[in-house]
Coordinates of all heavy atoms in Angstrom, one line a residue:
G58 N -28.5 139.3 65.2 CA -27.5 138.6 66.0 C -28.2 137.9 67.1 O -29.3 138.3 67.6
P59 N -27.5 136.7 67.6 CA -28.2 136.0 68.7 C -28.2 136.8 70.0 O -27.4 137.5 70.3 CB -27.3 134.8 68.8 CG -25.9 135.3 68.4 CD -26.1 136.4 67.3
V60 N -29.3 136.4 70.8 CA -29.3 136.9 72.2 C -28.4 136.1 73.0 O -28.5 134.8 73.0 CB -30.7 136.7 72.7 CG1 -30.8 137.2 74.2 CG2 -31.7 137.7 71.9
L61 N -27.3 136.7 73.6 CA -26.3 135.9 74.3 C -26.7 135.7 75.8 O -27.1 136.6 76.5 CB -25.0 136.7 74.3 CG -23.8 136.1 74.9 CD1 -23.5 134.6 74.4 CD2 -22.6 136.9 74.9
L62 N -26.7 134.4 76.2 CA -27.1 134.0 77.6 C -25.9 133.1 78.0 O -25.8 132.0 77.7 CB -28.4 133.3 77.6 CG -29.6 134.1 77.1 CD1 -30.8 133.1 76.9 CD2 -30.0 135.2 77.9
R63 N -25.2 133.7 79.0 CA -24.0 132.9 79.5 C -24.4 132.1 80.7 O -25.2 132.4 81.5 CB -22.9 133.9 80.0 CG -22.2 134.6 78.8 CD -21.0 135.5 79.3 NE -20.2 136.0 78.2 CZ -20.5 137.2 77.7 NH1 -21.6 138.0 78.2 NH2 -19.8 137.7 76.8
T64 N -23.8 130.9 80.8 CA -24.1 130.0 81.9 C -23.2 130.3 83.1 O -22.1 131.0 82.9 CB -23.9 128.5 81.5 OG1 -22.5 128.3 81.3 CG2 -24.7 128.1 80.4
T65 N -23.5 129.9 84.2 CA -22.7 130.1 85.5 C -22.6 128.8 86.2 O -23.5 127.8 85.9 CB -23.3 131.1 86.4 OG1 -24.5 130.7 86.9 CG2 -23.4 132.6 85.6
V66 N -21.8 128.7 87.2 CA -21.9 127.4 88.1 C -23.2 127.3 88.7 O -23.7 126.1 88.8 CB -20.7 127.5 89.1 CG1 -20.8 126.4 90.1 CG2 -19.3 127.6 88.5
A67 N -23.8 128.3 89.1 CA -25.1 128.2 89.8 C -26.3 127.9 88.8 O -27.3 127.3 89.1 CB -25.5 129.5 90.6
E68 N -26.1 128.4 87.6 CA -27.2 128.3 86.6 C -26.5 127.7 85.3 O -26.1 128.5 84.4 CB -27.8 129.7 86.2 CG -28.6 130.2 87.5 CD -29.3 131.5 87.2 OE1 -28.9 132.1 86.1 OE2 -30.2 131.9 88.0
P69 N -26.4 126.4 85.2 CA -25.5 125.8 84.1 C -26.2 125.6 82.9 O -25.7 124.9 82.0 CB -25.1 124.5 84.8 CG -26.3 124.1 85.7 CD -26.6 125.5 86.2
G70 N -27.4 126.1 82.6 CA -28.0 125.9 81.3 C -29.5 126.0 81.3 O -30.1 126.6 80.3
A71 N -30.2 125.3 82.2 CA -31.7 125.3 82.1 C -32.3 126.5 82.2 O -33.3 126.9 81.5 CB -32.1 124.3 83.2
D72 N -31.9 127.4 83.2 CA -32.4 128.7 83.4 C -32.3 129.7 82.1 O -33.1 130.4 81.7 CB -31.9 129.5 84.5 CG -32.2 128.8 85.9 OD1 -33.4 128.4 86.0 OD2 -31.3 128.6 86.7
Q73 N -31.2 129.5 81.5 CA -30.9 130.3 80.3 C -31.8 129.8 79.2 O -32.3 130.6 78.3 CB -29.4 130.1 79.8 CG -28.4 130.9 80.7 CD -28.1 130.0 82.0 OE1 -28.7 129.0 82.2 NE2 -27.2 130.6 82.9
A74 N -32.1 128.5 79.1 CA -33.0 128.0 78.1 C -34.3 128.5 78.2 O -35.1 128.9 77.3 CB -32.9 126.5 78.0
R75 N -34.8 128.5 79.4 CA -36.2 129.1 79.7 C -36.3 130.6 79.5 O -37.3 131.1 79.0 CB -36.5 128.8 81.2 CG -36.6 127.3 81.5 CD -37.3 127.1 82.9 NE -37.4 125.7 83.1 CZ -36.5 124.9 83.9 NH1 -35.4 125.5 84.4 NH2 -36.6 123.7 84.0
E76 N -35.1 131.2 79.7 CA -35.2 132.7 79.4 C -35.2 132.9 77.9 O -36.0 133.8 77.4 CB -33.9 133.3 80.0 CG -33.8 134.9 79.8 CD -32.6 135.4 80.4 OE1 -31.9 134.8 81.2 OE2 -32.2 136.6 80.0
A77 N -34.5 132.1 77.2 CA -34.6 132.2 75.7 C -35.9 132.0 75.2 O -36.4 132.7 74.3 CB -33.5 131.2 75.1
L78 N -36.6 130.9 75.6 CA -38.0 130.7 75.2 C -39.0 131.7 75.6 O -39.8 132.2 74.8 CB -38.4 129.3 75.7 CG -37.6 128.0 75.3 CD1 -38.3 126.8 75.9 CD2 -37.6 128.0 73.8
A79 N -38.8 132.3 76.8 CA -39.6 133.4 77.2 C -39.4 134.6 76.4 O -40.4 135.4 76.2 CB -39.4 133.7 78.7
G80 N -38.3 134.8 75.9 CA -37.9 135.9 75.1 C -38.3 135.7 73.5 O -38.1 136.6 72.8
G81 N -38.9 134.5 73.2 CA -39.4 134.4 71.9 C -38.5 133.6 70.9 O -38.8 133.6 69.8
A82 N -37.4 133.1 71.4 CA -36.4 132.4 70.5 C -37.1 131.1 70.0 O -37.8 130.4 70.7 CB -35.2 132.0 71.3
D83 N -36.9 130.9 68.7 CA -37.4 129.6 68.2 C -36.2 128.7 67.7 O -36.4 127.7 67.1 CB -38.4 129.8 67.0 CG -37.9 130.9 66.0 OD1 -36.7 131.2 65.9 OD2 -38.8 131.5 65.3
R84 N -35.0 129.3 68.1 CA -33.8 128.4 67.8 C -32.9 128.7 69.0 O -32.4 129.9 69.1 CB -33.1 128.7 66.6 CG -31.9 127.8 66.3 CD -31.5 127.4 64.9 NE -32.7 127.0 64.1 CZ -32.6 126.0 63.2 NH1 -31.5 125.4 63.0 NH2 -33.7 125.7 62.5
V85 N -32.5 127.7 69.7 CA -31.7 127.9 70.9 C -30.4 127.2 70.7 O -30.4 125.9 70.6 CB -32.3 127.3 72.3 CG1 -31.4 127.6 73.4 CG2 -33.6 128.0 72.5
V86 N -29.3 127.9 70.5 CA -28.1 127.3 70.1 C -27.2 127.2 71.4 O -27.1 128.1 72.1 CB -27.4 128.1 69.1 CG1 -25.9 127.6 68.8 CG2 -28.1 128.2 67.8
V87 N -26.6 126.0 71.6 CA -25.7 125.8 72.7 C -24.2 125.7 72.3 O -23.9 125.0 71.4 CB -26.1 124.5 73.5 CG1 -25.2 124.4 74.7 CG2 -27.5 124.5 73.9
A88 N -23.4 126.5 72.9 CA -22.0 126.4 72.7 C -21.4 125.9 74.0 O -21.3 126.7 74.9 CB -21.3 127.7 72.2
G89 N -21.1 124.7 74.0 CA -20.6 124.1 75.3 C -20.4 122.6 75.2 O -20.5 122.0 74.0
G90 N -20.3 121.9 76.3 CA -20.1 120.5 76.3 C -21.4 119.7 76.5 O -22.6 120.3 76.5
D91 N -21.3 118.4 76.7 CA -22.5 117.6 76.8 C -23.4 117.9 78.0 O -24.6 117.9 77.9 CB -22.1 116.1 76.9 CG -21.6 115.5 75.5 OD1 -22.3 115.7 74.5 OD2 -20.5 114.9 75.6
G92 N -22.7 118.4 79.0 CA -23.6 118.8 80.3 C -24.5 120.0 80.0 O -25.7 120.0 80.4
T93 N -23.9 121.0 79.3 CA -24.8 122.2 78.9 C -25.8 121.8 78.0 O -26.9 122.2 78.1 CB -23.9 123.2 78.4 OG1 -22.7 123.5 79.3 CG2 -24.6 124.6 78.2
V94 N -25.5 121.0 77.0 CA -26.4 120.6 75.9 C -27.7 119.9 76.5 O -28.8 120.1 76.2 CB -25.8 119.8 74.8 CG1 -26.7 119.3 73.8 CG2 -24.6 120.6 74.1
R95 N -27.3 118.9 77.4 CA -28.4 118.1 78.0 C -29.4 119.0 78.7 O -30.6 118.7 78.7 CB -27.8 117.0 78.8 CG -27.3 117.3 80.2 CD -27.0 116.2 81.0 NE -26.4 116.5 82.3 CZ -27.2 116.8 83.4 NH1 -28.5 116.6 83.3 NH2 -26.7 117.1 84.5
L96 N -28.9 119.9 79.5 CA -29.7 120.8 80.3 C -30.7 121.6 79.5 O -31.8 121.8 79.7 CB -29.0 121.7 81.3 CG -28.1 120.9 82.3 CD1 -27.3 121.8 83.1 CD2 -29.1 120.3 83.3
V97 N -30.1 122.2 78.4 CA -30.9 122.9 77.5 C -31.9 122.1 76.9 O -33.1 122.3 76.7 CB -30.1 123.7 76.5 CG1 -30.9 124.4 75.4 CG2 -29.2 124.7 77.2
A98 N -31.5 120.9 76.3 CA -32.5 119.9 75.7 C -33.6 119.5 76.6 O -34.7 119.4 76.2 CB -31.7 118.7 75.2
G99 N -33.3 119.3 77.9 CA -34.2 119.0 78.9 C -35.4 120.0 78.9 O -36.5 119.7 79.1
V100 N -35.0 121.3 78.9 CA -36.0 122.3 78.9 C -36.9 122.3 77.6 O -38.1 122.5 77.6 CB -35.3 123.7 79.1 CG1 -36.4 124.9 78.9 CG2 -34.8 123.8 80.5
L101 N -36.2 122.1 76.4 CA -36.9 122.2 75.1 C -37.9 121.0 75.1 O -38.9 121.0 74.3 CB -36.0 122.1 74.0 CG -35.0 123.3 73.9 CD1 -34.3 123.3 72.5 CD2 -35.6 124.7 74.1
G102 N -37.5 119.8 75.9 CA -38.5 118.7 75.8 C -39.4 118.6 76.9 O -40.1 117.6 77.1

Side-chain angles (χ1 to χ4, degrees):
V60 175
L61 179 60
L62 302 168
R63 291 184 176 88
T64 66
T65 66
V66 173
E68 296 181 346
D72 292 316
Q73 289 80 359
R75 294 190 181 98
E76 182 179 346
L78 297 180
D83 45 24
R84 181 150 311 218
V85 182
V86 175
V87 180
D91 289 312
T93 310
V94 174
R95 74 172 182 89
L96 292 174
V97 173
V100 171
L101 300 191

